[in-house]
Structures are given as C-alpha cells and as structure tokens.
Amino acid sequence: MAFVAVPIISLHTMLYLFNVFSIAPLITDLIMKQTYQLAQTSPGTPEFTNLLFGMQNDLKIFVAVEWIFLLISAITSLFFAVSTTYASALIHGGKKISIKDFVSRTIRSLKRPLVTYFYITLFVFGYLCLCLATLLPLVLILGGDQGTSSVSAILLSISAAAFYTYLSIVWNLALVVSVIEEQFGIEALGKAAQIVKGMKLQGLILNLLLTILSSILSLCFRLIKSKQPEATRVVISLLVVSSIWMVRMFGYTAYTVLYYRCKNVHGEEVELQDADMEYTKIPTAPLINENIP
C-alpha cells in the first residue's frame, strides 16, 4: 500500500502548497485595496475606478485558481480512492501485479467509479436541498422565539448529519462495488444496498470512526497562528493534510474489507475484475501409438 499512499499524498501536498502560495498574494492584495487604498480614495475619481477594476481582476484570478485546484483535487481524489480500493482488493485476494499494470488497470477502471460518484453527488445535493427545505421553514415559523428556533435547528442539524452518516454507508460501498465489479451508477448503488443488509451496524460504526478522526484532525488547523513563522505554518498544514489523507486511505481500505465481509455473509463469490489470471502451460508432445513397432 505504500506505493499507492506515498505518491498520491505527495501529489495532494504539492497541490495544497500550490493553492496556498498562489492565493495568498491575491488575498493580501484584495485586503490592501479594500481596507486601505479604497477607503482613502474618493468615489468617482480615476484612482477609485482603477482600484475597482484591479479588485475585479484579482477576484477573477482567485476564482479561476480555486476552480483549477478543485478540479485537479477531485480527479486525484477519485484516483486515490480507486487505487487504494484496487490495491486492497489485490492484497485481500493474494494477487500480485507490477506497478505499471496496476496504474494502467486503475486508469482503465476510472470510468465506473466516476459514473457512480456522479450519482452519489446528485444524491448528496438532493439530500442537502431537502434538509434546507425542512430547516428554513422551521426557522421562519419559530423566528419569534430565538431560543426555541435555535434548539430546533441544532436538533434538526444533528439528526440530518446522523442520517447522512447512515446513508453514506451505501454510497461509500457503491464506489467499492464499481471498482471490483462491472457495475456502476444506479446498479452499483443497488448492489451496495443489497449486500450491506445485515452489516449496516458495522458500516455505521466505521463511518462514525472516520468522521471523528477527520473532525479531530481538522481542528488541528487551529494550531496555526498568524504570528507564527511561515515555515512553521506550512509544516503544520502539511502534517494535518497528510494525516487527513491517511485517514481517508484507511477508510477506503476498511470499506473494501467490509465489502468482502458483506459478500461472504450473503454467500456470494468475489472475482476481481481486470485482475491478472495465472495460467499453467501444459507441455504437449506428439501422440505415439505404442502398437507401432
């Protein structure tokens, strides 16, 4: 698993550094223009107009850089999930392939998890819209009583987060199905919902564990202080980011193991798609009739 974790986590580290060092000057420039220069310039003057155009250009560059960062991060995250799941399946099955074959097979199998991930994103977006559609009217109805509305919003948010953790069992398992089997999209989601029956408690415990670990690591970003040297802040950020990705790697591996356990519970055999098949060549010799002198 090290040959999967090291390059992927290193790539995410470089992406993080690129994002930090590319947007930091833009944010500083925007703050300087908005806080100091714009406040000290009279509206309607050419200097004021130039500052507004400068802020607009900085904002466009900031949005473009963030979109590029999010797109590359999404692609590398999907590749990381697929490669980790595929490596875990190979280890579980006792199969060995070369790194070159592993990379090529992982790239070839990206289509299935990509389609499944698209459907999962739609389900997540729909679930968030449903939560907002339920929460906002409740807040408006109870808007006169701030205490009651706050308590109701907190309870509803906790319930929504708990139910999301429950739903994500099937969603995460569907990605594993898309990697190991020839099913993807709605079929993978249906297959995951079918095989997880009787194992949802284990999946829920796994999700809660991953959520707690990720939340604790995310809180470590608070250790970063503006008064610290830049090198210290970068080192702390890289350690936290790398730790978060290690937790995600553990999650992908654990869900692969959960997939195999679910298949065993239901008495289904698992055959890894695109895995190397070892054949034994049987030596052949011309048949000779023993009766011939």
Side-chain angles (χ1 to χ4, degrees):
M1 295 294 290
F3 72 92
V4 176
V6 172
I8 298 296
I9 293 178
S10 300
L11 179 59
H12 277 283
T13 300
M14 290 187 292
L15 286 174
Y16 176 78
L17 289 175
F18 166 76
N19 187 49
V20 169
F21 287 106
S22 59
I23 67 173
L26 294 175
I27 295 177
T28 303
D29 190 41
L30 279 172
I31 293 175
M32 289 291 296
K33 288 178 179 178
Q34 183 177 5
T35 305
Y36 299 102
Q37 299 178 9
L38 199 64
Q40 298 176 359
T41 306
S42 301
T45 60
E47 292 81 4
F48 188 84
T49 304
N50 291 333
L51 286 174
L52 288 179
F53 278 115
M55 292 177 61
Q56 185 178 9
N57 291 332
D58 289 342
L59 189 60
K60 289 181 180 179
I61 296 174
F62 173 78
V63 173
V65 170
E66 285 303 298
W67 270 109
I68 295 173
F69 173 73
L70 291 176
L71 179 61
I72 298 177
S73 295
I75 295 173
T76 54
S77 297
L78 181 63
F79 182 82
F80 179 67
V82 174
S83 59
T84 304
T85 302
Y86 194 73
S88 301
L90 288 173
I91 294 173
H92 189 277
K95 295 182 173 61
K96 294 182 179 180
I97 61 175
S98 64
I99 296 179
K100 180 180 178 180
D101 288 340
F102 174 81
V103 174
S104 64
R105 294 174 189 275
T106 301
I107 294 175
R108 286 205 309 265
S109 63
L110 281 175
K111 178 182 176 181
R112 299 193 303 268
L114 179 61
V115 175
T116 304
Y117 186 75
F118 173 74
Y119 279 96
I120 293 173
T121 303
L122 292 180
F123 280 116
V124 172
F125 181 74
Y127 181 73
L128 292 177
C129 291
L130 179 62
C131 292
L132 290 176
T134 305
L135 181 61
L136 291 179
L138 181 63
V139 173
L140 293 175
I141 293 173
L142 301 175
D145 189 352
Q146 294 183 355
T148 305
S149 60
S150 299
V151 172
S152 301
I154 292 174
L155 292 177
L156 186 60
S157 300
I158 294 175
S159 301
F163 192 59
Y164 175 84
T165 303
Y166 176 79
L167 291 176
S168 61
I169 299 172
V170 175
W171 297 340
N172 294 332
L173 200 60
L175 285 176
V176 180
V177 173
S178 300
V179 175
I180 299 179
E181 302 184 15
E182 286 289 349
Q183 300 182 16
F184 55 90
I186 296 296
E187 293 182 357
L189 290 166
K191 182 66 175 181
Q194 176 186 351
I195 65 174
V196 81
K197 293 179 180 178
M199 298 289 292
K200 288 186 178 180
L201 180 60
Q202 290 84 340
L204 183 60
I205 295 174
L206 175 60
N207 269 356
L208 290 175
L209 177 62
L210 295 174
T211 302
I212 293 172
L213 290 176
S214 299
S215 299
I216 293 175
L217 290 173
S218 298
L219 291 176
C220 292
F221 280 111
R222 295 186 177 183
L223 298 175
I224 303 174
K225 307 297 181 181
S226 58
K227 296 181 179 179
Q228 293 174 338
E230 185 175 1
T232 303
R233 285 181 284 148
V234 170
V235 170
I236 295 175
S237 300
L238 293 181
L239 290 175
V240 175
V241 171
S242 300
S243 300
I244 291 175
W245 280 105
M246 289 299 294
V247 171
R248 291 188 179 183
M249 181 178 179
F250 167 75
Y252 296 138
T253 305
Y255 261 101
T256 306
V257 175
L258 179 64
Y259 165 82
Y260 279 99
R261 292 193 61 182
C262 291
K263 298 285 282 189
N264 291 332
V265 167
H266 291 275
E268 299 182 18
E269 296 182 357
V270 180
E271 183 176 348
L272 181 62
Q273 300 295 332
D274 297 328
D276 273 349
M277 299 292 294
E278 295 184 0
Y279 295 91
T280 302
K281 186 176 180 180
I282 302 177
T284 58
L287 296 176
I288 302 176
N289 193 342
E290 294 180 356
N291 295 327
I292 298 177

